[in-house]
Amino acid sequence: MAEIIQKDGTWTFDGDAVRIVPGRDKGVGLLRQTLGEVLVPLRALAGISYEAGRKAGRLRLRLRDGADPLLQVTGGRLPEGSDPYRLTVEPDRGGVAEYFVDEVRAALLLDQVDAGPADSYLLPGPAVPITVGAGDGTVAFDGDRVALEWNWTTEEAKRSGGAREFRLADLRSVEWAPSRGLENGWIRFTLAGAAQSSAPKYDPHTVELFGFKKDPLMALVAAAVAVRMPHPAAPGSASSLPPAAGPEAGAKTAPALVQAAAPADVPAAAPAEDHDALLRRLRELGELHQGF
């Protein structure tokens, strides 16, 4: 077993899964604190890396495309402080971080884990029921029903229609976009058969986000809904991804949908090593482990 304990959190690897427990330090992001413990099965991993730094290093897990509903729905746009799959490492613990990386990589090689895209979610997503209030409204999801309530910041045209409630079975997609610069973010629910959505501030099925502290928590709601919908890569599923071609001149980048791809920086699987080389590598790791 390999373990690294830092103020930022604790990672433990038992050969089958990486257990991530966020730290209680004030620098730990609100999303990570709220999400809590995450268990990442080995078969959900595409890789792991450690980047040394003068003041602090960074340990990072790379998950397979489509394995995690949170990464799927956020499309690689989570702020660094909200990313549950990175760990800040103090400079004097760099050796432990490198050993952790070696242990996980050896297990990936030994089990011959496919680093390619997954056609089903391999992580369960955030627990339900879940309720988050941010921006111009509050979203509650119990695993079957989504309820939207408005507050005093809601545009009158949207608030006048009252609270909204609909079932998971009626949803076509869930979409999350963070606030950036002067542009507000949102969490949008598109119902099957519904007309094209209006601007977030007027859309009765969208909560507009203004860039405050609790905004990233709406990504947890989106992930909790997404994991209970058909996986976009499942056989026979109809993907609602935007076209692969780049946006036209002047067009804004499309926000991430539940079907959107996870970050594109997942490296290709390393070439397979021959049997003798793999045994030599495992012996080296055993000798390294005895030295700690």
Side-chain angles (χ1 to χ4, degrees):
M1 186 177 77
E3 183 174 62
I4 180 168
I5 303 174
Q6 296 290 277
K7 293 180 180 179
D8 199 33
T10 298
W11 287 16
T12 306
F13 178 60
D14 63 3
D16 295 319
V18 176
R19 186 179 299 276
I20 299 174
V21 180
R24 297 184 178 181
D25 187 73
K26 63 180 181 181
V28 177
L30 180 60
L31 183 148
R32 292 172 58 202
Q33 293 177 11
T34 304
L35 179 61
E37 182 178 306
V38 178
L39 188 66
V40 185
L42 186 66
R43 64 193 182 99
L45 291 179
I48 183 172
S49 63
Y50 172 65
E51 303 167 9
R54 186 171 60 181
K55 293 185 177 180
R58 182 171 61 184
L59 193 60
R60 184 184 292 277
L61 284 180
R62 294 188 297 278
L63 274 64
R64 294 171 58 189
D65 183 7
D68 177 35
L70 178 60
L71 295 184
Q72 184 83 355
V73 80
T74 55
R77 295 181 297 172
L78 275 178
E80 278 288 312
S82 296
D83 186 352
Y85 304 115
R86 68 143 183 88
L87 181 72
T88 301
V89 179
E90 297 168 11
D92 63 345
R93 306 304 288 170
V96 178
E98 290 174 351
Y99 171 68
F100 193 97
V101 168
D102 284 342
E103 287 285 285
V104 174
R105 285 179 176 171
L108 289 171
L109 285 172
L110 192 60
D111 285 18
Q112 298 183 346
V113 174
D114 180 7
D119 60 6
S120 64
Y121 292 120
L122 304 178
L123 278 79
V128 294
I130 183 171
T131 301
V132 174
D136 70 352
T138 296
V139 183
F141 178 57
D142 64 4
D144 178 55
R145 293 183 179 273
V146 177
L148 307 180
E149 294 187 359
W150 313 116
N151 59 37
W152 65 273
T153 66
T154 309
E155 188 73 22
E156 177 60 28
K158 182 162 66 174
R159 189 171 64 225
S160 62
R164 299 281 172 160
E165 185 174 309
F166 43 89
R167 300 191 64 179
L168 183 69
D170 297 327
L171 275 180
R172 188 179 72 196
S173 68
V174 58
E175 171 189 347
W176 175 85
S179 301
R180 287 185 173 179
L182 298 178
E183 293 187 6
N184 292 338
W186 60 82
I187 179 171
R188 186 196 306 271
F189 301 93
T190 302
L191 302 183
Q196 185 175 359
S197 301
S198 55
K201 66 187 300 182
Y202 301 115
D203 185 355
H205 298 116
T206 299
V207 172
E208 187 176 30
L209 305 175
F210 306 136
F212 297 123
K213 182 179 179 180
K214 290 187 177 182
D215 281 13
L217 297 184
M218 284 297 185
L220 296 181
V221 177
V225 172
V227 77
R228 290 166 175 82
M229 298 178 67
H231 192 282
S237 67
S239 174
S240 60
L241 279 172
E248 298 178 1
K252 295 182 180 179
T253 302
L257 300 177
V258 59
Q259 295 89 347
D265 60 353
V266 176
E273 298 184 26
D274 64 280
H275 184 67
D276 291 338
L278 180 57
L279 289 178
R280 286 197 302 272
R281 182 58 176 157
L282 291 176
R283 282 197 296 269
E284 291 170 2
L285 289 175
E287 293 170 0
L288 177 64
H289 179 65
Q290 292 174 1
F292 276 82

